[in-house]
Amino acid sequence: MAIYESEHTKFMREWLAQHPQEVEEQKKGRALWWDKPQDLDTSTRRAQAQVPVKSYYYDINH
């Protein structure tokens, strides 16, 4: 059974094979925006500080 692979995926595989330096650039970009150290105390405080959302937002009686 053949596994489907989109044209975009094929293109990206070929392009990354031809430009291996871009893998490092991807990792730098990911580290810049997503890979951040996590602080358990800060996460806990943020979770506790959240205000519960009303079941019906526009109901002024509740």
Side-chain angles (χ1 to χ4, degrees), residues 11 16-17 30 38 49 56 61:
F11 168 77
L16 288 174
R30 179 184 170 104
Q38 300 297 313
Y56 184 66
N61 297 321

Side-chain angles (χ1 to χ4, degrees), residues 3 8 10 15 21 30-31 35 44:
I3 298 175
H8 178 73
K10 290 177 187 176
W15 192 82
Q21 71 278 8
R30 179 184 170 104
D35 295 341
T44 304

Side-chain angles (χ1 to χ4, degrees), residues 10-45:
K10 290 177 187 176
F11 168 77
M12 289 305 297
R13 285 189 201 283
E14 291 172 6
W15 192 82
L16 288 174
Q18 294 171 0
H19 302 89
Q21 71 278 8
E22 291 300 321
V23 174
E24 281 302 314
E25 288 296 317
Q26 283 181 332
K27 289 179 182 179
K28 287 180 189 175
R30 179 184 170 104
L32 178 66
W33 291 104
W34 299 107
D35 295 341
K36 303 289 182 190
Q38 300 297 313
D39 181 20
L40 185 59
D41 294 332
T42 304
S43 298
T44 304
R45 282 188 282 124

